[in-house]
Amino acid sequence: MRPTLLKNLATGATQPATSTPHKRYLSTMAPYTTNAKYRVKEMTQMGKEMRDYMVGPMPAQRFLGEFFPTEKLEAYTETPFTPGTFRNTVACRNERLAYRSFVNSAEKLAPELAFVDSSGHSDSSHRTNFSLDVKPDVCVYSKGAGAVRSGPTDVSSVEIIVKFWWKKSNDPFCFLRRNKEGLQHKKFLRESKAALDTLAQITAYASAQLGSQFRAHCYSVLIVKKVARVVRWDRSGAIVTTPIAYNTEGELAEFMCRFSKAAPAMRGVDETVTIPPVSDASEAPKCLNLPDDVPMFQTEVCSLFSDENLRVIAPAPIAPHYSPPGRATRGFVAYYPARKKKVFLKDTWRVDVVGIEQEGDIYKLLPEKQVRNVPQCIAARLKSHRHYRLVLDDVGVKLMEFRSSRELVQAVSDALDAHEDAVKKSLVLHWDISPGNIIIVNGRGMLIDWDLCKLISSKEDGGPQRSTCTGTWQFMSGALVYFMDAQHTIEDDLESIFYVLLWVAIMYLPSTLTPARRTVFINHTFDPWPIGGCGGDYKIMFLKWPHILHTMRFTDGAGEVNREALKDLCIGLATKLAGRYSLGVDWKSCTSGPKATHDALSLLFGTALEAEGWPDGDRSSLQKLVLNTEDGHEAPYRVAKTDWETEVDCPKSTKRQRIGGNGDSSSNVTGGRVNTSEDEDEDDYITEPDSY
């Protein structure tokens, strides 16, 4: 569902559909940022991002009728709830004492589910890539056939996560109040730091569950002393119920009872993903060079060339530290049993707006038009109205894993050729050039991820028309960063190709730049923080005056390795691309002034690749940065390579902390906030009149 549809469902309002969202969130900025907040404050950022996607409050009875209608439940019987069922829970002095009491009462209401006090146990599945431990208060699991969990906390198999707080100040949601004039809406979300921390915490739980499993949606419960809310999470946002006085009102008990009777699909489970046969499960790790004990899954995708389905087997996913809304793209090197070979499986939630073509259709079109340097797509399927999978016959390595600086340049040059062919032969513009969208296959580059591409209009400027800008923030052109409502043109993609080459070269090749100068340049040029919808003109000024390129050298500390051809190439590209920003030119429309062309840039790449003196075997090596600690002091961080992210090892005070628990002796860290208080709120949390 789109966010607008979620809001319509919860409130009954009629709102126009939205277009492609800006990609300035953790999922697209974090992999390339040098800002420390994305490492030590990722939970807080999750909460901030999620605020725009929380919808409600939806009346609890309507919520149950919409998502768990009794006529679709197998063997449904009336919920055995009576007022006072949770009296021991609400009578607890603090939340830590409430866990066991809640578990004892809940398991009587839904005996098909296993309620587990998980507050003292970190996630044992090892299927998250968070910098903080996931440690929920109560985890709910299925007792059905095949239900397996590795410990009290296992985000890869959990069905429902329950979070407790005992202070009203920790509740991220507000009541809707009545007044003499009728219904008056107070702000649905609280603005306090404590409230944001709770929102960040439950968002992290949902992110871990959705990211480590194959689900269309999931459910969680937030309990603040005497009041509970049920939350439904999916890739469009989250729907929150009205507050439930769960000891005297039966909606929470009814939710758990209906959930226990619901089929897997109603619970959110993607039933197209199954466990592979034993024979294939043993062969897949061998082909993929993985340990034998790695969990595997299988799925089927419709072939592009026949009516048959292609069955592929891949390792279980690892949840990234990104908030749930978005495309949630996951890529897997998979095993194709029919041909006993490696393929690439892409699992994503595609943008469902008019004018965005299905990626499989684009991959089918490009070879027909003889576009170079794009992988062959052999299967693609739109599973539901947004969930999408495809299989590529080519498997490569990330651009940041180049084996030599010349291979890096060759790969980017090949991507430029693919882009040129797509534009000139197929009238397709990629729209999202980034390091993650170029792979290296047998020493040559391929341009992938065409899911946000746009068919070029017949207008003279050759630019696609869309109401929002699209791209990965660090690699968007100076014009798109400065004017975030600008039209996306061919020149913007060409400028992005240059930024990809420059960023990878500076971040992964030794140079004369000190860590401090490298960090300043990356932060200011690639990672400007937008203010009032404007990301500043750093990129534009850099292209017009690329002083740093003239003064630096891509060489090692001893000066024995020289990459002058790479330096000359970067200077030449910057000079060509700067023409569009000449004095008096309208940067926003870019309809006048000299423009860079594919031919001009290709000539520069060709000259560089033909140059002599390229070093052999100068593999990628992530370079050091200097970041600021939370207390404002400058300190060198050792930068470690994880996937294709620039990840930092933080000082001891900001090292890995846990997400979960409430006031235990080890402190509770959520989104950068430490709460060691064990004081409970003495005031009763009174349920206010239902606004519906």
Side-chain angles (χ1 to χ4, degrees), residues 623-636:
Q623 304 300 300
K624 292 181 179 180
L625 299 173
V626 176
L627 304 179
N628 289 330
T629 60
E630 289 190 333
D631 59 7
H633 291 90
E634 189 176 271

Side-chain angles (χ1 to χ4, degrees), residues 41 43-45 48 51 165 169-172 190-200 669-674:
K41 295 185 179 179
M43 296 300 102
T44 298
Q45 187 64 18
K48 289 180 179 178
R51 291 179 66 85
W165 279 110
S169 59
N170 291 112
D171 190 349
R190 297 182 188 271
E191 302 289 342
S192 69
K193 182 67 168 62
L196 178 60
D197 285 349
T198 302
L199 179 60
V669 180
T670 308
R673 172 179 171 268
V674 180

Side-chain angles (χ1 to χ4, degrees), residues 505-515 517-518 548 551-559 561 563 566 621 623-624:
I506 288 179
M507 289 296 301
Y508 288 86
L509 284 172
S511 70
T512 55
L513 291 177
T514 65
R517 290 188 180 277
R518 181 182 298 111
I548 191 171
T551 57
M552 68 172 290
R553 297 177 64 197
F554 288 104
T555 184
D556 60 4
V561 177
R563 306 177 185 87
L566 175 58
S621 176
Q623 304 300 300
K624 292 181 179 180

Side-chain angles (χ1 to χ4, degrees), residues 144-222:
V148 178
R149 64 176 186 268
S150 59
T153 300
D154 184 343
V155 297
S156 67
S157 61
V158 69
E159 295 275 4
I160 302 170
I161 291 178
V162 185
K163 173 63 189 167
F164 288 80
W165 279 110
W166 239 232
K167 283 190 173 183
K168 290 187 290 185
S169 59
N170 291 112
D171 190 349
F173 308 112
C174 300
F175 291 102
L176 300 182
R177 303 177 184 276
R178 295 181 184 274
N179 59 15
K180 294 181 180 180
E181 287 77 24
L183 189 63
Q184 179 184 10
H185 282 256
K186 189 178 179 180
K187 286 185 178 180
F188 175 54
L189 295 173
R190 297 182 188 271
E191 302 289 342
S192 69
K193 182 67 168 62
L196 178 60
D197 285 349
T198 302
L199 179 60
Q201 196 170 32
I202 62 175
T203 299
Y205 294 155
S207 177
Q209 184 178 0
L210 289 171
S212 61
Q213 301 182 29
F214 285 95
R215 283 182 171 270
H217 54 268
C218 69
Y219 293 88
S220 65
V221 176
L222 174 64

